[in-house]
Amino acid sequence: MKIVFFYPNPDKAHQWAAQLKAEGVEFEAIFWQPDQTVSADYAIVWLPPEEFFTSVQDLQAVFNMGAGVDALLNNKYLPADLPVVRLDDAEMGLKMTEYVVHAIAQITRRLDQYTALQQQKVWSGTADYPYFEKWPVGIMGFGRVGQQIADVVHALGYPVHTWSRTAKTAEGITCHHGQTGLKEFLRSTKILINVLPLTPDTTNILNAENLAQLQPGSSLINIGRGHHVVDNDLLQALDSQHMAGAILDVFRTEPLPSEHPFWSHPAIRITPHISGPTHAAKAIQQIAQRIHAQQAGLPLEGVIDRQTGY
Ligand code: GLV
């Protein structure tokens, strides 16, 4: 069996290959280079260049070393019938949950204020009790990651609303769905968490019209994709003080260009796409299990639906 690897930093691709061998998969490793045509059974990649798929032949499947498959699906050379396998979590959901809990505390406990006060050596606690029930949390995207976030945020005591494409139910959580459920979801939300997959239907979903539906003084935590947000609409919602703040981990262009107004906006906090890192060893373990199963004649697990895009 031959497996071709691509990661922007080649050292990491070599590490993945060694980890996959340690999981008992027997294969010849190929590390993709431009201008070289290769034949391989599987590809294991993160953000491969466009021409990757013009130069790799005979693939049975491509494994994406992340949860979001949007970049792969946007590759115009990706063969239409090639199974694309996404990672099923591999601890990413918990890491994103940890990020979200921190971000929620930053908003509801006004933690930024204390960083500023420390600089002035001022000891000044807030008199207001931060009631959980005053901060309804809305989670857009209720798949594996959204569910983990919802469970933890609900366990803390926040009212939790979710929005997804299709109808879902979960105990103690108010689930909304579809175009018809979107307005009510947004109107119920004071802290909006975006973990949607990026598809043609969800691109630009956080636009002026939808942000206007959020409760006054609301905040956005975006750990989905930058293309979910219309940047200027978010800036306007913040500048008009309809929204109080945004904690952003993902951007339309990454790295975020230095001239982008998000960098210096007082109500925006930026992290450089770190909320859901891939735990390489767990991801490779999952891929190894899937390859072993397919080799044993079982169906390949984790293949995304090309129609819905996730
Ligand atoms: C990271 O953004 C991922 O999709 O895994």
Side-chain angles (χ1 to χ4, degrees):
M1 183 185 346
K2 288 184 186 171
I3 301 182
V4 59
F5 295 83
F6 179 85
Y7 186 80
N9 167 356
D11 289 350
K12 238 184 177 169
H14 281 83
Q15 275 170 29
W16 296 348
Q19 284 167 328
L20 195 60
K21 291 225 159 109
E23 292 293 330
V25 180
E26 284 174 22
F27 62 96
E28 179 191 327
I30 302 167
F31 299 98
W32 187 84
Q33 311 262 8
D35 307 321
Q36 169 203 26
T37 301
V38 295
S39 163
D41 300 280
Y42 298 106
I44 300 181
V45 299
W46 180 246
L47 302 179
E50 241 180 9
E51 62 274 24
F52 180 88
F53 291 103
T54 62
S55 61
V56 180
Q57 294 166 353
D58 308 319
L59 287 177
Q60 295 178 41
V62 54
F63 292 94
N64 188 48
M65 278 296 274
V69 290
D70 45 291
L72 264 189
L73 296 188
N74 281 333
N75 186 317
K76 63 174 184 274
Y77 300 116
L78 178 76
D81 54 355
L82 179 65
V84 173
V85 185
R86 56 163 272 176
L87 283 183
D88 255 359
D89 197 358
E91 210 170 274
M92 201 177 284
L94 269 183
K95 280 286 152 202
M96 292 170 92
T97 301
E98 180 184 56
Y99 180 101
V100 163
V101 169
H102 177 270
I104 291 177
Q106 194 171 336
I107 295 161
T108 63
R109 312 298 297 274
R110 305 186 199 287
L111 297 182
D112 280 352
Q113 172 181 302
Y114 301 112
T115 309
L117 289 174
Q118 181 180 349
Q119 271 153 28
Q120 301 156 39
K121 301 186 180 168
V122 172
W123 177 282
S124 170
T126 168
D128 298 338
Y129 186 82
Y131 294 97
F132 288 119
E133 55 273 32
K134 286 197 177 167
W135 294 92
V137 171
I139 302 170
M140 285 185 107
F142 201 33
R144 290 181 83 104
V145 172
Q147 278 165 22
Q148 290 178 65
I149 296 173
D151 283 349
V152 170
V153 174
H154 169 65
L156 282 173
Y158 289 96
V160 176
H161 294 256
T162 63
W163 184 77
S164 49
R165 191 175 59 87
T166 55
K168 308 220 169 155
T169 54
E171 216 181 297
I173 289 168
T174 313
C175 299
H176 308 257
H177 75 279
Q179 202 49 45
T180 49
L182 183 57
K183 258 196 188 141
E184 198 190 323
F185 163 78
L186 294 166
R187 285 181 185 159
S188 312
T189 295
K190 185 131 180 175
I191 298 179
L192 179 63
I193 296 162
N194 176 42
V195 284
L196 283 169
L198 185 69
T199 69
D201 285 343
T202 64
T203 299
N204 297 334
I205 194 164
L206 299 176
N207 54 30
E209 186 188 338
N210 286 334
L211 294 175
Q213 305 297 326
L214 290 169
Q215 295 189 1
S218 60
S219 294
L220 167 67
I221 300 169
N222 188 18
I223 55 171
R225 285 289 185 256
H227 283 87
H228 286 127
V229 176
V230 179
D231 292 358
N232 281 333
D233 292 1
L234 175 61
L235 287 167
Q236 244 165 39
L238 292 167
D239 290 342
S240 68
Q241 294 185 355
H242 167 57
M243 289 181 70
I247 297 176
L248 307 175
D249 186 52
V250 288
F251 303 90
R252 297 179 90 90
T253 305
E254 295 179 2
L256 184 65
S258 57
E259 67 279 9
H260 197 289
F262 283 174
W263 277 116
S264 48
H265 197 287
I268 293 180
R269 293 291 166 271
I270 285 173
T271 52
H273 201 145
I274 48 86
S275 71
T278 296
H279 187 310
K282 289 198 176 175
I284 290 292
Q285 206 171 50
Q286 190 178 102
I287 291 172
Q289 278 162 7
R290 288 174 169 173
I291 291 176
H292 283 312
Q294 197 188 33
Q295 298 293 314
L298 295 168
L300 186 58
E301 268 184 46
V303 176
I304 63 116
D305 178 343
R306 288 283 193 106
Q307 209 62 37
T308 56
Y310 61 92

